[in-house]
Amino acid sequence: VKWRPRDITEEVLSRMLPTLPKHMVRLQHVCIVGKPGSGKSELMKWLSWRACKQYGRDNVHIIYTDDLRVAIAVLDDRPVQLLLIDDAMQYASSRKVYEQAELVGEFQRLRHLAREASGRKSGLVLCIFSWQRYMDLDPAFRESPLTIFKTGLGGRDRIELQRMLGPYTPHLYEIWDRIDRGDDSAKSTSVAHIAALVGTGKENGLFRSEMVRFDDFPEMIRSAKFFGEQAEPEMSKEDLAKRLDELRDTLGPHVVRCYEMTEIGGMTVREAAEKLDIAISSVSRYNKRVREALAAGTGTPPQNNARASRAHARPDESGPVEI
């Protein structure tokens, strides 16, 4: 019998947008991964539209941001909190595992934080992370019950895709090829992975979405603007190389080497620590020293310097979402 791909759209949606619980706050964690232009943001918009249609427009609070800390800060009292973290790698990178331990802790307590913010004993928190390269996100955020892959991926991600998706992997690269050729209709098809079904042969399948007009989909709340940060002037590659050479003498070559392996070479903190045979905390500490030294100069590479407390955040003042 010729193998045929399964369509699991309805099954995925039933898990993602379940019946509202009556006696608990439920957290559903979803990931969307794909190359730029693959329709990740459009999929978020469609899922938001579906949520409003299912639960009622007055009951859904859509938070569209690039930073989980912003989403946590603006939680309100509506029964459905829809947290859309687009371009998530910027503030949740796997290269900064040690430094963002507090953020991981907040994410693990998200269900309780939503209950505290709303005063409700029941409801749904749907947190969706969207980014480009699967392995770049911190494991605490990328290892989710539901993952939707929009395109094939390169480098070390290719091996992980094959491990997770098996015979569905070629379909994903076909979708990527169609999008690359300008076929926008291909953006409506993805491959979904259900972690709870791993080993059953039913964990993967096709996921289909639609393009919708949703005029009240909110503007993105950018972390830098929300927390009042000033954008850092970007340093050229030539100036960065020169500054790093100078820092080898002041901070030590081993310190600069850690920074080059992770922030420039693309390794995670864990991978660099294993390669250099040092502690993960040491790599993170060395990276912090280099970033602080670079920031003390005339320019610095783009980075995450945000520090804010939920106690100082203002509640979201936007009105209810309408379809």
Side-chain angles (χ1 to χ4, degrees), residues 236-307:
S236 68
K237 292 182 179 179
E238 294 76 13
D239 289 341
L240 176 59
K242 183 178 179 181
R243 286 288 290 125
L244 291 177
D245 284 338
E246 295 171 354
L247 293 177
R248 291 182 212 279
D249 296 329
T250 57
L251 299 180
H254 60 293
V255 174
V256 175
R257 176 61 176 155
C258 288
Y259 180 88
E260 290 175 328
M261 292 173 69
T262 56
E263 300 297 319
I264 299 176
M267 285 189 177
T268 66
V269 171
R270 189 179 302 278
E271 289 171 340
E274 291 175 353
K275 188 174 182 63
L276 298 173
D277 195 23
I278 60 177
I280 292 176
S281 58
S282 297
V283 177
S284 295
R285 188 167 63 252
Y286 294 160
N287 286 347
K288 183 178 180 181
R289 290 182 189 174
V290 174
R291 284 197 298 272
E292 289 175 347
L294 290 172
T298 57
T300 179
Q303 56 185 286
N304 172 18
N305 288 324
R307 293 292 182 269

Side-chain angles (χ1 to χ4, degrees), residues 119-137:
R120 292 177 176 271
K121 295 183 179 180
S122 64
L124 172 68
V125 180
L126 175 57
C127 186
I128 303 179
F129 291 93
S130 169
W131 74 105
Q132 298 176 16
R133 294 181 295 273
Y134 182 73
M135 298 297 288
D136 277 0
L137 204 68

